[in-house]
Amino acid sequence: MSHLTDKFRAASRARNELPAVPGQMMEDVLGQANLQRRTLLRGGFGATFAAAFGGSALLAACGGGGDDAAAAPAAPAPAPAAPAQSYAVTFEGIPATVGDQVSIPAGYTVDVMFSAGDAVVAGATAFSGTFLDSTAAEMVAGGNHDGMHFYPLDGVDPNQGGLLAINHELPDYQILFAGGTYNAATATAEQKKIALSAVGVSVIEVALANGKWAVKPNSAYNKRYTGNTVYNVGGPAAAAVGATVVGTLNNCASGRTPWGTYLTCEETTDNYIDPTQAATGYGWVVEIDPLGTFAATKRTALGRFDHENTDYMLDSDNSMAVYMGDDSTPGCVYKFVPAGTYNPGDRAANRNLLDAGKLYAAKFNADGTGQWIELTQGMNGLVAGAQDPGNYTQSATPPAPVTIDFNTQADVLLNTKAAARVAGATLMDRPEWVSVGPDRKIYFTFTNNSSRVQTDAANPRATNPHGHIISFTEDGDTAKATTFKWEMFLLAGDPRLAAANLKGNIKGDTFSSPDGIGVDPQGRLWVQTDASTSAATTSTFGNNAMYYVDQASKESRRFLVGPNGCEITGLTYTPDLKTFFINIQHPNGTWPSNVQGNTLPPRSSTIVVRRGDGQPVGA
């Protein structure tokens, strides 16, 4: 969550008496290719995966050819085997710094590829210093780039090109309006349309040419999904919400599905840019097809709360779970298990898989065990007259319970936060990103909670300004598990700080407020931060940054530092891991103008990080 989000939604949270929050991976599909190679090659993505992993090798693994060995010509002597590509982390960590630049290790390059206001849709006019009207603004990149994913394209080498789906959490108001200000209470209809154009999602085709990645202008795949777009509504709460909703916003982080769609997560439960819209239309996971085949749909079965991102676990029988966090102070951890199973041979058969299933919230026990508590009407206290205990962790004296009626499953899904509290889930310190690694271990970041008073084993620090990371494994190693084992992976902070609750236990390069997290296909763990950008914080940790953290030793190594005022967020990559796409959100100095040679305001941007010698990033 951007601290700017808190600023702009403060009025709506006050209206709804919500507590203030202190400011502050297609890769798994590729990783499953070996497991699913036979069915994938028969399905719609067969050519894409063959291109990604080598078509002949995959086809050979599937069998083929005749049985008459005598009739076959003699095989040539095998060529010497090429040495296996090493992904062992060897980069030299960089120091904590401040300044108006992106800092990376020696031997790496960084390029700015896609900034707020850049052209997206064919025929668009990019922002060049003159404010755009609502029609033109609908065709360019939104602001506050956040979660994103890279998708291969049929017939295109995925290490040379593909699609990027990129979230836009909040407008970069400075390129929309004079003075960079917007007031929902006084905005005209035209101003609302302009502001709403700058949230949502951009889908862009990108390609590597002459050593540089760039957006392919006028690609038929390039598309905007904005706060003015109409979205379908699916799942058990559709009747209560309506068949369609105008707009998506606060598109924070994101996820993807095994069938190649994009899950953009709404981190707000109302439309604070246009408060005339019904609040129940927001706070959902929205499924978008980057190929444009399926209609964009809000999936209500996954619950309504301040969604951060999603990741999934897929079992050998193609049943799956989708993991999610509620980025609230405090919020809960969730998973959704669809009633049906993924069909790898028929992409269209998965179109509405996320509309039916069971939603669970996590309870973290002090002994390192945990339960997934089912959030189904009629179970676990989710009945008429239920008593919601509220956010009791935030004060020494718990608030008075509030009566809430759960008469239908739609009631549970519309009021998921309250349902989780009633059912007894653990209130966590701002659950942010989740990542499921190739070894099926799950990592969750808990960014901070400076106002926590009552502690527990999974949230051990009162006034927790620096946050922590928890890892857990499902019992039986299955997505369908209803119990799990968890451990405290690390407590963020710095040993140089005086107070005990600020020190943490990080080995190596320290950081505050872990936010983005991702385990890449080689099992390497990357963490991105969203700490305060005040001098009091940057004097210890430098600007927000991205780190590699060894999962065994838990030693942290700083890989990238962003420009002044920014948050580091969003991470995706090409299958060969030789190109990393990373987002720089809300810089407030002169970047990227100072590296692009123009005088435009600071803009959120997607950057490309590569090694100069063509080897995998991080290796």
Side-chain angles (χ1 to χ4, degrees):
M1 176 198 296
S2 166
H3 69 274
L4 297 176
T5 293
D6 285 337
K7 173 183 176 182
F8 286 103
R9 72 179 184 179
S12 70
R13 295 183 76 82
R15 284 196 305 272
N16 292 287
E17 297 182 345
L18 295 171
V21 181
Q24 279 299 314
M25 285 179 189
M26 193 67 181
E27 60 273 13
D28 282 354
V29 180
L30 299 173
Q32 287 287 336
N34 287 334
L35 175 65
Q36 303 291 347
R37 59 185 180 273
R38 291 179 173 82
T39 48
L40 284 169
L41 286 169
R42 298 187 187 112
F45 280 140
T48 296
F49 280 94
F53 289 93
S56 61
L58 282 174
L59 290 169
C62 294
D67 294 328
D68 188 1
Q85 176 71 65
S86 173
Y87 295 92
V89 174
T90 61
F91 73 87
E92 184 174 344
I94 63 175
T97 58
V98 296
D100 222 16
Q101 70 284 318
V102 174
S103 300
I104 50 177
Y108 284 79
T109 63
V110 59
D111 295 299
V112 179
M113 186 186 71
F114 184 62
S115 299
D118 282 358
V120 174
V121 181
T125 299
F127 171 76
S128 60
T130 300
F131 297 129
L132 303 177
D133 64 18
S134 61
T135 301
E138 199 78 6
M139 302 172 72
V140 302
N144 279 261
H145 300 35
D146 208 308
M148 61 180 168
H149 283 286
F150 177 84
Y151 294 85
L153 273 174
D154 238 6
V156 177
D157 179 346
N159 297 312
Q160 303 287 316
L163 299 182
L164 275 180
I166 302 175
N167 273 6
H168 299 295
E169 182 180 355
L170 193 76
D172 278 26
Y173 284 110
Q174 68 274 14
I175 71 170
L176 300 182
F177 305 112
T181 60
Y182 174 80
N183 186 332
T186 59
T188 65
E190 170 72 358
Q191 290 170 331
K192 287 181 180 180
K193 286 182 179 179
I194 292 171
L196 288 166
S197 73
V199 293
V201 173
S202 290
V203 176
I204 52 175
E205 184 176 0
V206 296
L208 177 64
N210 301 318
K212 299 282 187 180
W213 283 85
V215 179
K216 292 188 71 171
N218 302 320
S219 167
Y221 292 106
N222 292 355
K223 190 171 183 180
R224 282 299 321 279
Y225 298 84
T226 76
N228 299 304
T229 303
V230 177
Y231 300 86
N232 290 348
V233 181
V241 175
T244 61
V245 167
V246 177
T248 183
L249 73 159
N250 239 109
N251 305 84
C252 196
S254 55
R256 68 273 182 259
T257 66
W259 50 97
T261 56
Y262 184 69
L263 302 180
T264 182
C265 298
E266 298 180 334
E267 197 192 30
T268 183
T269 51
D270 71 344
N271 190 333
Y272 55 87
I273 294 178
D274 183 3
T276 65
Q277 300 292 328
T280 54
Y282 311 94
W284 304 107
V285 171
V286 188
E287 185 174 11
I288 290 174
D289 182 4
L291 300 178
T293 305
F294 308 148
T297 303
K298 300 200 176 193
R299 301 297 184 188
T300 64
L302 278 69
R304 177 171 169 262
F305 48 87
D306 294 302
H307 286 273
E308 182 69 17
N309 84 319
T310 74
D311 204 356
Y312 71 84
M313 179 182 291
L314 188 66
D315 285 353
S316 59
D317 65 355
N318 290 321
S319 57
M320 63 181 290
V322 178
Y323 298 88
M324 305 170 285
D326 175 11
D327 186 3
S328 296
T329 306
C332 293
V333 166
Y334 299 87
K335 84 169 177 179
F336 174 75
V337 178
T341 57
Y342 161 55
N343 185 335
D346 182 358
R347 186 172 188 251
N350 305 298
R351 182 170 183 169
N352 297 313
L353 186 59
L354 299 181
D355 277 347
K358 291 183 178 180
L359 183 64
Y360 299 86
K363 181 180 180 182
F364 293 82
N365 300 320
D367 63 358
T369 65
Q371 290 87 40
W372 290 109
I373 304 173
E374 186 173 337
L375 302 183
T376 296
Q377 193 275 334
M379 298 178 61
N380 298 313
L382 302 180
V383 297
Q387 297 297 295
D388 175 10
N391 291 330
Y392 55 85
T393 64
Q394 305 305 99
S395 62
T397 303
V402 174
T403 299
I404 182 167
D405 292 328
F406 295 108
N407 294 312
T408 66
Q409 187 62 14
D411 291 338
V412 172
L413 298 171
L414 287 165
N415 302 283
T416 308
K417 293 170 179 277
R421 292 191 296 258
V422 168
T426 304
L427 296 178
M428 307 294 291
D429 287 346
R430 281 186 61 188
E432 294 258 8
W433 286 48
V434 57
S435 183
V436 181
D439 61 356
R440 301 171 72 83
K441 181 173 284 189
I442 304 160
Y443 292 86
F444 250 105
T445 55
F446 301 94
T447 295
N448 51 47
N449 182 358
S450 296
S451 54
R452 176 176 283 272
V453 174
Q454 298 188 35
T455 62
D456 54 51
N459 304 274
R461 296 189 287 190
T463 55
N464 177 18
H466 297 310
H468 55 280
I469 300 174
I470 283 176
S471 64
F472 62 93
T473 55
E474 296 279 29
D475 286 346
D477 198 32
T478 172
K480 300 179 289 294
T482 56
T483 55
F484 58 90
K485 302 290 190 305
W486 69 272
E487 69 167 356
M488 185 65 65
F489 183 71
L490 63 78
L491 297 170
D494 191 289
R496 295 170 294 178
L497 299 173
N501 68 314
L502 307 180
K503 293 181 180 296
N505 60 5
I506 293 177
K507 302 173 184 177
D509 295 330
T510 61
F511 55 80
S512 172
S513 303
D515 189 338
I517 194 167
V519 183
D520 71 26
Q522 292 297 320
R524 305 178 306 175
L525 177 64
W526 303 93
V527 176
Q528 300 168 319
T529 66
D530 181 22
S532 166
T533 57
S534 68
T537 300
T538 59
S539 62
T540 299
F541 302 100
N543 285 349
N544 278 305
M546 177 169 151
Y547 301 77
Y548 163 73
V549 182
D550 185 277
Q551 295 179 59
S553 69
K554 302 182 182 178
E555 183 171 355
S556 170
R557 194 180 313 178
R558 190 179 294 103
F559 174 74
L560 176 149
V561 180
N564 292 338
C566 83
E567 168 190 345
I568 304 297
T569 184
L571 172 64
T572 191
Y573 14 69
T574 52
D576 61 7
L577 297 180
K578 293 181 179 180
T579 299
F580 273 30
F581 302 97
I582 300 167
N583 283 327
I584 308 294
Q585 190 182 99
H586 57 69
N588 64 7
T590 59
W591 189 92
S593 300
N594 58 0
V595 299
Q596 294 178 316
N598 60 52
T599 58
L600 297 178
R603 296 184 291 162
S604 302
S605 302
T606 301
I607 61 172
V608 179
V609 176
R610 307 183 79 213
R611 272 179 60 159
D613 60 6
Q615 293 302 300
V617 173

